[in-house]
Amino acid sequence: VERLAQLTRRDVADLLAAHRIVTLTGAGGIGKTRLGLEVARQLLPDFADGVWLAELASLSDADLVADAVAAALGLELAGGVASPDRVARALGPKQLLLVLDNCEHVIDRAACMAEGLARANPKLRIMATSREPLRAEGEYLFRVPPLDVPAEDARDPEDMLRHGAVQLF
């Protein structure tokens, strides 16, 4: 299990080196966010201007995606109205990784944000987590495999704890 997890992290890191937008997709609760955060932590030394997390799960209004991203990046935007273009201009040529987490309920705005930022800055990389693809231009999809579960007749607690689904609980 751990070897598979290491290979998966390495696979995602390699994809981010080759593609500007990578979306981790899969069913809810299978570890997309956890995988994304582990990859982001691993890649921190590769991005001179850091790795940033924009958590979108709590947004009830898709129009707030740009505001959430600006806030996550610590950007002060004069006039108070955020947009993908304004966020991109404020970032300039910074070399960073932005993680857009839990995009499924604001998918269209998350896609616009990812496209706008990627278009404006060739040094920027975006990793999104979502139950479905963003359908953003240039997006590469990585289907996160489901967590492994113990055999139905498993009785040994130590053996059960070796499985990702049990560890998640």
Side-chain angles (χ1 to χ4, degrees), residues 54 56 64-75 87 91 98 100 113 117:
L56 306 179
L64 297 176
V65 168
D67 293 298
V69 170
L73 291 166
L75 300 175
V87 172
L91 282 177
L98 174 63
L100 297 175
M113 177 59 66
L117 293 176

Side-chain angles (χ1 to χ4, degrees), residues 35-47:
L35 174 61
L37 293 177
E38 287 177 16
V39 170
R41 190 175 8 265
Q42 172 187 332
L43 293 177
L44 187 58
D46 297 342
F47 291 93

Side-chain angles (χ1 to χ4, degrees), residues 36-129:
L37 293 177
E38 287 177 16
V39 170
R41 190 175 8 265
Q42 172 187 332
L43 293 177
L44 187 58
D46 297 342
F47 291 93
D49 296 302
V51 172
W52 302 85
L53 172 65
E55 174 53 60
L56 306 179
S58 64
L59 296 182
S60 58
D61 182 352
D63 290 336
L64 297 176
V65 168
D67 293 298
V69 170
L73 291 166
L75 300 175
E76 297 285 331
L77 300 177
V81 178
S83 70
D85 289 338
R86 291 195 71 206
V87 172
R89 281 195 303 276
L91 282 177
K94 290 187 177 181
Q95 181 188 12
L96 60 90
L97 170 63
L98 174 63
V99 179
L100 297 175
D101 191 33
N102 292 299
C103 297
E104 52 273 342
H105 67 294
V106 291
I107 201 86
D108 292 334
R109 296 299 172 114
C112 287
M113 177 59 66
E115 288 173 346
L117 293 176
R119 213 176 9 256
N121 182 345
K123 295 180 181 178
L124 184 133
R125 293 290 187 267
I126 297 159
M127 178 172 36
T129 68

